[in-house]
Every structure is written in structure tokens, then in C-alpha cells.
Amino acid sequence: MIETDLLVAAPALAVAVVGGLIAHELAHAQVLRLFGIDHTISYFPRRTDAEGGLLSSPPLAVVQPHPTGRESPHALRAAALAPLLLAVPVFVTGLSGTVPADSPILLAIAVGWLACAIPSPQDFSVVFYAHRVLERHSLESSADATTNATASGSRAD
């Protein structure tokens, strides 16, 4: 019976990781939506149809914010750290004792889900450098406005 549990634990781990990765990106999107920051969600970006393309080319999903430069850097930081909240249900059910700790299948699901609750290196980059991203976007917006005003002025001449 234990061998069967281990055979089921591997696919359960894989399903938990895939579901956790999607939940990770949706957590970013929900916080961005909460703060009113425009964003796009792309599933399977930069995928190829080549052999091994599905497994060798991460990520499964990407949330791309489109800040205007007027947002608070704390909003971007909160969105970057939002996936940490994915760990709450696992810890609550684990500490409450409602889930048996000796089940390899449930342990695999918990490990896969918790792995997706960890912010990525890109997420930590946003946490530490959100103000620079917003400054860059505000400079680009003002440069675009100046270029458009100059271009429209030269066309009128």
C-alpha cells in the first residue's frame, strides 16, 4: 500500500506545482487589480513547439504590470510579495491537525504548493527596486509626451 502512495505522490506533486504556479501569478494580478494598476497575464509565453519545449522553457504564466509612473512603489512591492499568502492555507491546515502528517500524497501536495509560495528572484527585484521602475516609466511617459508635442508641432509647420 505504501508503494501505491508513493506512485500517486509524484503526479500529485506535479499537479500541485502547476496549480501553485498559476495561483502565484494570479496572486500578483489580484493585488495589481486591487491597486488599480493595469496589467496583462500571459500563459505559456515564449513557448516553442520544439521537442522538450514545454518542459525546458519556463515560465507557465507571467503577469506584466503596466505602471504609468504615478503609482505608489508600495503597491508594486505588495504585488511582488503577494504569493507568500499562498502558504497560509498549508500552515493553517498543518498546524490545526486536520490533515494527517504521515500521508505521502498530502505531503507532496503541500511541498509543491509551498514551493510556489516563494517569490521569484524577479519578484524580489521588484520589492527592492520598485521606485526605480516607476521613475523609469514616468521619464518614458514624459519623453513620449515631449516627442508627441514636438512631432505634432513640426507637422503643423
Side-chain angles (χ1 to χ4, degrees), residues 30-150:
Q30 285 299 103
V31 174
L32 290 171
R33 187 173 298 129
L34 177 71
F35 285 105
I37 299 173
D38 189 32
H39 61 280
T40 56
I41 302 174
S42 302
Y43 295 98
F44 304 108
R46 295 176 285 155
R47 294 286 179 182
T48 62
D49 292 334
E51 186 176 326
L54 183 62
L55 296 176
S56 65
S57 61
L60 293 175
V62 172
V63 174
Q64 182 66 39
H66 305 290
T68 60
R70 296 184 302 268
E71 294 85 358
S72 168
H74 297 299
L76 290 178
R77 290 180 178 121
L81 293 175
L84 285 172
L85 294 174
L86 295 174
V88 172
V90 175
F91 287 127
V92 167
T93 57
L95 293 176
S96 68
T98 57
V99 177
D102 59 347
S103 169
I105 298 168
L106 293 176
L107 181 62
I109 292 170
V111 167
W113 189 261
L114 285 174
C116 297
I118 300 169
S120 68
Q122 292 86 358
D123 296 339
F124 282 114
S125 176
V126 170
V127 170
F128 293 115
Y129 301 110
H131 60 285
R132 291 184 186 173
V133 171
L134 292 174
E135 288 171 3
R136 186 175 64 235
H137 280 287
S138 65
L139 289 175
E140 289 173 1
S141 297
S142 63
D144 289 342
T146 305
T147 303
N148 290 340
T150 305

